[in-house]
Amino acid sequence: FQSFQNVGKEKNFVFLSKKIEPSSLLETAPLFDGLKKELAWNKFSGPTFTQSYCWPPVAWGCDVVAISHEGNDPLLYIPPVLTLLQESDYQALQNMSGVLIVCPGWKKAQLVFDLLKTFRKGCRRLNPVLIILGQNKEATSQMEIQGCEVVVTTPYNLLRLLEHNTRLLCRVCHLVLDEIEVLFSDTSEQVFTILDCYKKATAQAQGNLPHQIIAVGTQWNKHITPLIKEFMNDPHIVITVTEEAAIFGNVQQVVQPCMSSNRTAELIKILDFTQRNFQKVLVFTDSVTEVEMIHKALKSNSMVSLKKHRESTCNAKCVLERWRKMHSSGIPAVLVLTDDCLQSLGITDATWVIHFSFPSPAVFGQRLQSMSDNFCAGIKDSPVDQEDTKAKSVILLTENSSCHVPGILYYLKHAGAEIPEELYDLTTRVQESEEDKKFSRPLCASLKTFGICRNRTECPDRHRINLSIDTAQNTADEMIETPERVTILPLFIVHATNYFGRIVKKQKDQYAVLAKEMDDYFKVPGHRISVNTMEKSVFYALREGAICHRVQVVETPAKDEENVSKLTVKYIDEGRTSQVNSDQLLHLPTKFQSLPPQAVEIIVCRVKPIDNEVEWNPKVTDHINSKIKGKLHHAKVMHTLGKTVWVDPMVGVTNLPTMKIWINEYNIRSEILSTGLGTDNPEHVGEIRKLCRQRAVLDHAESLERFTKEDTAGLEEAASPQDPSVQENTASSNSPVLLDVFFLDAVVQTKEAEDSTVHQQKSCHPPIKWFQDDVSVSLRVQILRATDSKCEFSREKVTFSAYSEGKLYVAELELYQSVIAEKSTCVIKDTEAVILMVKEKKGAWCKLLKNKNVHVSLDFEHWEESEDERPFTVG
């Protein structure tokens, strides 16, 4: 049963498994009066089109599956479910939970819980509880939910709770699965475990208790079929998205690859088959010219063809009458039309749709809607069977198909269609092109924080390195040096593992000097010069109490009611942004602008939220914020890129100046894990290094390598928590290190290394990565398609030379320790040469070369430092 109903000026589509009279007015909706008043009080404008069809069957206590563009809106089910809880039958049920709502993640669960609290006033029985327990077993065992009529949680948390409270589901009358497509995509095993437990619990329940399962979402999912067949009782199915109804309705999707020049011939071949089988065929295109061309080609091939486009002389009613009359007479006529004519024709009984022009996701649904009378209404036991399929959609895929390819590919995979390789190839090219368009966007925050972006297609941000953005700008030479061990002062906490603050140096505290000078300067009233005209990207001063900050205007919105401009400014030495009044900004003298911005982004590695969540729970962020903000920490730098630094570990420290030692109080990663809401993320660092292994970044990094012997000595001292020289308390400030260095051998570049041989001056030096074990040292010489290669070994030296793409590459490396030349080998591969040298004495080398070489770096892909070797321990 399908119906079209006018709501305002738009036509809405609905596909129903059983007839439902919609409740389109709040006054007549099947809700109890108190809830209607509460909705009206909150300026609820509904019910919406989908709600008007969903509320009645839910309020009747029926099982319901609802698929809609608004399927992620909890108001699809909350009002009618709360109405059921107000019925007198429920007042007699003692110790019943009533409703269990399972959401795909903590954020959605929090939203549903907040909505329930909003409606609490209008309900006699409503004591909602939100259960987000994490992996803390003690908290799970102590969780008490008796007397809670509505429980909101996630699949993982519910299963943890069921381990300690197996009878929980016996007290549930209504099970709601929110965002069913996300639940089944990410946690199908957990959801079916819950459904099995619920089925057993309802079978064992005593008395004549009501039981209901409600599943709402935005997309159909293959797992919904077993949900309906095995766990639901003759459910009402409500689908208001044509494309999703087509999947449920068993519409066969076919992709036919062809050359653009051969598209018409391919179309005629397909139509020849449809006419022999008396199909009602629509051919869609987005061009008037193409309609005329197709119409003419069909007529020349003796096919009966009708046409309709915006320039047609024949109106829609005339075309429709001819179309129906021909088919009723047994004449297989083909109607060729543009998308903008479909609504005026109102065709719903076509059996075939052919997409001559590649569809956008928007017009794709409209085209499929023309076959809605032939959507199957029952649940299928097996995948699409061509013989049982009345409706068929054929897409002609050419090499010139549009940018909408990724969206259509996603739908076809979702529909279980057979997909040709040509579509995958075209999608890859389109996605690469789309990624190129994002090149000026910020680097994806999820990629930086967790090493992965779940949905690159939908993500608006960039997933490749852009050297002009990702490298630090306006950076003083002395601030480019980044030792591996640093002191960090976090000042602004974005979330549990992402902060902004300063990386402080123990030598000269430039920012402390600047801050004191600014405070002294602006204490004088005559120095506080207001700014009349604000410009973006310009530095200004902002006084907050006794403290003066340097800020940069990033946005200048309209004036407020009091005619005062509100500005968004960034605190360039802290990293946070804030809105301030324009009259708060002061002129900043040039002498205070010479020190580059001090704010650095800090990311703690190797930890992520549990349960495959994409964001940190606020409980974790609040805990870390209270623990670390404004306090000194020691950290080991794992990687740097521009003004972002990845650290592991990062340890909170306290200075005991009388004893000349630092005490490690806590490890941030351990603190996060102890909350039970975080888990290990071992791939994080590797993914970041893979991201940054692009040639341009490495070249830039090598040009910035400027370590000195003094810096290296300081680095080694910083590794010791008992270093007396680190006793100076730098909590007030310290100059940061801004951050384009890739750490190589941790050896000083000396004068001897700069004086390379004449032979080397006439050649290029290949990039080399090295790693070791106790027995051998491996070098990976990055050189493409090497020819005429030579590799000579001696006890303390290895010399490699080869030609690549017309250039001579030479590397002469004086080794730090001795090797056995006779047992050392070199293997030439397509993209690199691999040199394996056997150590004369077993054991780890602290460095590879006697002298620093900027072209040689540690191979982080193979090199991992054990936990025992790390410089910071807790306690």
Side-chain angles (χ1 to χ4, degrees), residues 653-673:
V653 294
T654 298
N655 183 25
L656 299 179
T658 55
M659 301 178 67
K660 298 184 178 180
I661 62 171
W662 289 91
I663 295 178
N664 297 337
E665 293 187 4
Y666 55 84
N667 182 312
I668 290 180
R669 183 172 177 274
S670 300
E671 284 291 318
I672 293 172
L673 295 175

Side-chain angles (χ1 to χ4, degrees), residues 431-444 447 456 459-471 641 691 694-697:
Q431 287 176 337
E432 287 175 354
S433 174
E434 289 299 312
E435 191 66 36
D436 289 340
K437 294 176 184 177
K438 301 176 185 177
F439 211 49
S440 60
R441 294 281 305 165
L443 191 61
C444 172
L447 189 63
R456 294 195 176 201
C459 178
D461 291 332
R462 173 170 48 87
H463 304 89
R464 299 175 184 167
I465 296 299
N466 181 341
L467 203 59
S468 62
I469 296 176
D470 294 326
T471 52
L641 181 65
L691 170 74
Q694 297 177 17
R695 183 69 258 166
V697 178

